[in-house]
DNA sequence: CGGCCTGTTCATTTGGAATTGAACGAAACG
DNA sequence: CGTTTCGTTCAATTCCAAATGAACAGGCCG
């Protein structure tokens, strides 16, 4: 009695469901929240841009979720506002960015780089701490390990540009 | 009254704490459970192999956690049993694999490949579903999107070997 | 054999991230 | 102005993967 008894385009049709599920899975691998996958997935398979309310009703998620999800997707560069031509429309509509290059770039910039950077910082502090150890043998061992960690980070840094290059075709 | 009032090597010293934290952060980015990071981190900074019980007491985690964590780390090839020389030791000790190549390889094999593969499968089914759509215009659109998804997957597949190569030095 | 030690399994609990929903702008109308 | 509509924010709630811990398997040793 509260849910509209339907009659309109409320639920996802099987095809949309399938696509959304693919993306839900996809973003889980990337460690992003489910709603992100739902939203992007539905936009990805929709022929025309969708409004926040469209997402809320079609996906059965709260306005809050949709709003926050869209914010993150925008920050990732995975979604853009579709200025519905010259329309003097009040509502804003969203469409997906479908170039892999852009998606990967955004993900690296927003999710990978920050972690790499904070990791580097922590390892620097680590090297300091390790330097204060008395026993020379032990200090040598620690130095080796920290060095190795540092190498890993450098490798990580070197890999990213290559990734972008390959995925940009 | 229940916790041993200490007096021994129970807690982590500051250096160990720092290293463990680095790995805890690291594995969270990869979407792995915290305990994995703790265990690997402590092994990584320990001069000699550690037993399951060592991990339990030093990290204050349950035996169950340690056991499951070690299992996953073994499956990832990130940890190996250290046959304590010729010792007729009952307990088994573990040491970390510290070659980045090996770690990355294991992660790709166990965590990435399976998802890529199941993704491909889903997309194939998707293509079928899309083929049954009546409206030619719409079908064309769907075809384009599914095609794109497929391209993404192929790109992903192509990237992995390159990754391994670069990270293997 | 029977007690003992090491490690595994799995039903239950828990902690923390994601989601909700109500309150709050902000800006477009009359 | 007051009203309505669109969207954001954030404290409270929900939910689920990770952690727990007790029961269990199996090997060793007297």
């Amino acid at each position: 009695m509260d849910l509209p008894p339907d009659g309109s385009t409320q639920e996802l049709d099987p095809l949309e469901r399938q696509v959304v599920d693919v993306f839900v899975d996809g973003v889980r691998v990337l460690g992003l929240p489910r709603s992100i996958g739902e939203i992007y997935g539905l936009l990805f398979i929709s022929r025309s841009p969708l409004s926040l309310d469209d997402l809320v009703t079609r996906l059965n998620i709260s306005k809050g979720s949709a709003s926050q999800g869209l914010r993150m997707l925008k920050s990732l560069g995975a979604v853009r506002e579709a200025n519905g031509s010259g329309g003097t429309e009040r509502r804003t509509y969203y469409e997906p960015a479908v170039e892999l290059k852009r998606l990967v770039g955004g993900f690296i910039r927003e999710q990978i780089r920050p972690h790499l950077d904070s990791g580097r910082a922590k390892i620097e502090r680590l090297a300091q701490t390790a330097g204060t150890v008395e026993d020379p043998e032990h200090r040598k061992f620690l130095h080796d390990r920290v060095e190795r960690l540092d190498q890993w980070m450098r490798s990580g840094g070197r890999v990213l540009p290559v990734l972008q290059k390959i995925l940009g075709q």
Side-chain angles (χ1 to χ4, degrees), chain A:
Chain A
M1 191 195 278
D2 206 5
L3 303 169
D6 200 287
S8 66
T9 304
Q10 196 193 180
E11 295 197 341
L12 300 181
D13 67 50
L15 177 63
E16 288 171 326
R17 180 80 267 153
Q18 276 186 48
V19 173
V20 167
D21 285 346
V22 166
F23 282 97
V24 166
D25 262 40
V27 300
R28 205 183 39 220
V29 173
L30 302 178
L32 300 177
R34 171 187 189 85
S35 61
I36 296 289
E38 293 181 317
I39 296 171
Y40 184 85
L42 185 54
L43 291 176
F44 184 83
I45 206 58
S46 294
R47 301 179 74 183
S48 47
L50 301 181
S51 70
L52 186 145
D53 274 329
D54 292 335
L55 295 170
V56 168
T57 46
R58 308 289 315 285
L59 294 171
N60 274 303
I61 61 179
S62 67
K63 258 203 313 174
S65 246
S67 175
Q68 291 176 178
L70 282 172
R71 168 142 56 106
M72 173 172 275
L73 284 167
K74 277 184 274 185
S75 85
L76 288 171
V79 149
R80 47 174 156 259
E81 309 192 355
N83 304 323
S85 53
T88 174
E89 184 58 75
R90 184 103 99 81
R91 213 178 280 248
T92 62
Y93 288 83
Y94 299 90
E95 63 187 6
V98 296
E99 315 84 36
L100 185 56
K101 183 171 42 174
R102 172 179 283 273
L103 299 177
V104 172
F107 186 75
I108 289 178
R109 172 171 34 80
E110 300 292 321
Q111 309 282 310
I112 312 284
R113 286 267 184 229
H115 283 287
L116 266 189
D117 293 344
S118 82
R120 274 174 186 283
K122 281 185 198 153
I123 289 168
E124 255 177 67
R125 265 175 278 137
L126 209 54
Q128 286 189 320
T129 309
T132 71
V133 169
E134 293 289 338
D135 175 30
E137 279 302 313
H138 192 196
R139 194 170 59 237
K140 202 168 147 196
F141 168 78
L142 294 176
H143 180 75
D144 174 74
R145 288 290 147 109
V146 172
E147 180 100 342
R148 198 177 280 276
L149 259 183
D150 196 55
Q151 284 301 331
W152 291 3
M153 288 293 171
R154 292 186 198 287
S155 294
R158 244 178 289 124
V159 151
L160 298 187
V162 178
L163 262 191
Q164 303 214 41
K165 192 151 211 173
I166 296 179
L167 295 176
Q169 289 306 340

